[in-house]
Amino acid sequence: MATTPSPFSRFVRSEAFAGLLLVCTAALAFAWANSPWREAYFTLQHTHLSVALGAATLDFSLEHWVNDGLMAVFFLLVGLEIKRELLIGELASRRRAALAVAAAVGGMLVPAALYALLNGGGPGRAGWGIPMATDIAFALGVLALLGPRVPVGLKVFLTALAIVDDLGAVLVIALFYTEQVQWGALGLAALTWGAALLAGWGRRKPSLKLYAVLGLLLWLFVLQSGLHATIAGVLLAFAVPIRQPDLSLCTPSLLTAAQPGEEEEVGARLQDLEDLLERAQSPLHRLEHALHPVVTYAVLPLFALMNAGVSVGSGGLGVVSFGVLLGLVLGKPLGVVGGAWLATRAGVAALPRHVTWTHMVGAGLLAGVGFTMSLFVANLAFDDAALLTQAKLGVLGASVAAALLGAVWLLRTTRAQAAHAD
């Protein structure tokens, strides 16, 4: 009898597909931007679209709409995942959280320091935040390609590491890539966020439509405040409540096995039970499940299409590119393994079951795949087109190198362990 995949197995497979879709879209954008039809690509990228929201009219390029608008939905999903992991997931366990936090902090500080060694006194100094992030879709996608030979504990660790990494990236964006704050708009954003917090206070099933309206207002006020608009997604996520499922909705009649002659009712009864279980989920779980396909199939591919199209003819590799490469390919594994080693030596954490330090090196290499968040920070760090081109080339090159190095390392490690066991 076939076994039903666990929720985590399904999650890994979906992230693997997301990674493959991102690779294909990024390759398409890069090829388009360097083809004879490159002008059409850049014309599409800079086509303006105006939207009226009450008294406010927003007029941005398509690239701007994707990076400031659609990516807020991505950050909303990131925020929901962070909150879930902190409250009931891997980060709810003190020792597992300590390992992920220590590895993530090391994996952020060391790449930033290595980047600063090359660019600290030059025009590219603002890009120190670029090599700090890990792209969970790409990293888990590579792990999924290696199959069951990779310990499940390593996949869980890398997931927790990437989530802590995302939280760090959000803080970096909020604290260091905000030029000027408009306090009036920020006050309105705070009031809207307070309303979102109150929406789930004491209510058994707050409406997701209400959160959609409040989220749109919050995004608009944060956009006008000077903070990056995507921060609104994370703030809204922290306001969405998470509770234990209300299984009282599942009445005994639905759970009772069918009697002889009642086989025709089984399908309808199972459908009713599925619908009730869906309604019994907390608002956070319902919103997360609703957003995941939207982000996977629409938001991230559009982001890759708008941002991975780098014309090599408009500028080549430079010191910024080498800083990003050094940070992601070398700094990430050094920081991740070093942070995890310090945490275990201090006795506050332990490696997951069946995971060795050799596995951890492979995870550190895969953590150097920084595609989505690194490209996002690059857009915030540089207004100069030449520096932005250098940064994007560094991110793309480093992500490919980190994925290949991590895959080869883990493949050789698992084969060596299998041969030793035989």
Side-chain angles (χ1 to χ4, degrees):
M1 180 181 294
T3 58
T4 302
S6 67
F8 189 80
S9 298
R10 293 195 299 270
F11 172 73
V12 169
R13 282 203 292 270
S14 66
E15 292 296 338
F17 180 78
L20 179 61
L21 186 60
L22 274 179
V23 169
C24 294
T25 312
L28 172 64
F30 189 82
W32 190 1
N34 291 279
S35 73
W37 305 279
R38 64 175 66 90
E39 291 301 324
Y41 174 81
F42 293 109
T43 299
L44 174 67
Q45 196 179 44
H46 297 104
T47 299
H48 275 244
L49 177 66
S50 297
V51 175
L53 294 175
T57 300
L58 304 179
D59 184 17
F60 300 133
S61 67
L62 289 180
E63 180 186 21
H64 197 167
W65 274 114
V66 170
N67 292 351
D68 282 20
L70 290 182
M71 284 301 283
V73 181
F74 166 73
F75 275 86
L76 172 58
L77 181 60
V78 167
L80 294 171
E81 291 174 345
I82 291 172
K83 182 173 181 178
R84 171 174 50 78
E85 291 296 319
L86 285 172
L87 295 180
I88 62 173
E90 290 302 312
L91 299 180
S93 166
R94 184 174 299 178
R95 289 178 68 83
R96 288 197 294 263
L99 183 69
V101 170
V105 170
M108 289 186 282
L109 294 180
V110 176
L114 291 178
Y115 178 92
L117 284 177
L118 294 181
N119 293 276
R125 59 185 176 274
W128 58 269
I130 297 172
M132 294 177 66
T134 297
D135 192 302
I136 187 173
F138 272 128
L140 286 178
V142 174
L143 278 184
L145 292 176
L146 297 176
R149 61 172 62 92
V150 177
V152 174
L154 188 68
K155 299 176 183 179
V156 174
F157 164 75
L158 189 58
T159 303
L161 167 69
I163 288 173
V164 177
D165 231 332
D166 286 341
L167 179 58
V170 169
L171 293 176
V172 166
I173 291 169
L175 297 176
F176 299 102
Y177 289 100
T178 298
E179 295 181 358
Q180 187 176 2
V181 176
Q182 301 294 328
W183 294 104
L186 189 61
L188 292 173
L191 289 175
T192 307
W193 188 46
L197 290 170
L198 289 174
W201 192 279
R203 297 182 63 180
R204 192 65 189 175
K205 292 192 299 180
S207 171
L208 294 185
K209 293 181 181 179
L210 176 60
Y211 285 114
V213 173
L214 292 173
L216 182 60
L217 290 174
L218 183 61
W219 175 83
L220 182 61
F221 293 141
V222 172
L223 177 68
Q224 294 174 338
S225 74
L227 294 176
H228 199 272
T230 52
I231 301 298
V234 180
L235 292 175
L236 181 65
F238 288 164
V240 178
I242 180 171
R243 303 190 182 97
Q244 293 294 328
D246 183 12
L247 297 180
S248 64
L249 294 171
C250 303
T251 59
S253 61
L254 287 172
L255 302 176
T256 303
Q259 299 299 319
E262 296 180 353
E263 289 80 1
E264 297 179 359
E265 301 179 11
V266 171
R269 187 179 300 178
L270 289 175
Q271 183 62 52
D272 290 342
L273 182 58
E274 183 178 340
D275 293 340
L276 286 174
L277 287 174
E278 180 71 21
R279 287 163 48 196
Q281 289 182 326
S282 74
L284 186 143
H285 285 93
R286 286 189 287 131
L287 185 57
E288 186 178 355
H289 292 162
L291 287 179
H292 201 277
V294 175
V295 171
T296 300
Y297 301 122
V299 174
L300 290 182
L302 283 172
F303 175 81
L305 182 65
M306 288 293 167
N307 290 274
V310 184
S311 177
V312 179
S314 63
L317 296 174
V319 67
V320 171
S321 306
F322 294 122
V324 173
L325 281 163
L326 186 65
L328 286 174
V329 177
L330 180 62
K332 269 294 184 180
L334 286 176
V336 167
V337 177
W341 183 82
L342 289 174
T344 55
R345 289 286 292 177
V348 298
L351 293 185
R353 190 179 180 187
H354 303 310
V355 173
T356 66
W357 285 108
T358 310
H359 287 127
M360 293 292 285
V361 173
L365 288 168
L366 288 180
V369 182
F371 182 79
T372 302
M373 201 69 81
S374 294
L375 286 177
F376 188 81
V377 175
N379 282 301
L380 299 179
F382 297 123
D383 294 324
D384 184 274
L387 293 176
L388 182 58
T389 296
Q390 289 185 33
K392 287 186 175 182
L393 286 174
V395 170
L396 295 175
S399 297
V400 171
L404 291 176
L405 288 171
V408 171
W409 180 280
L410 287 173
L411 186 61
R412 290 174 63 90
T413 298
T414 53
R415 282 181 175 175
Q417 289 178 342
H420 179 72
D422 291 339

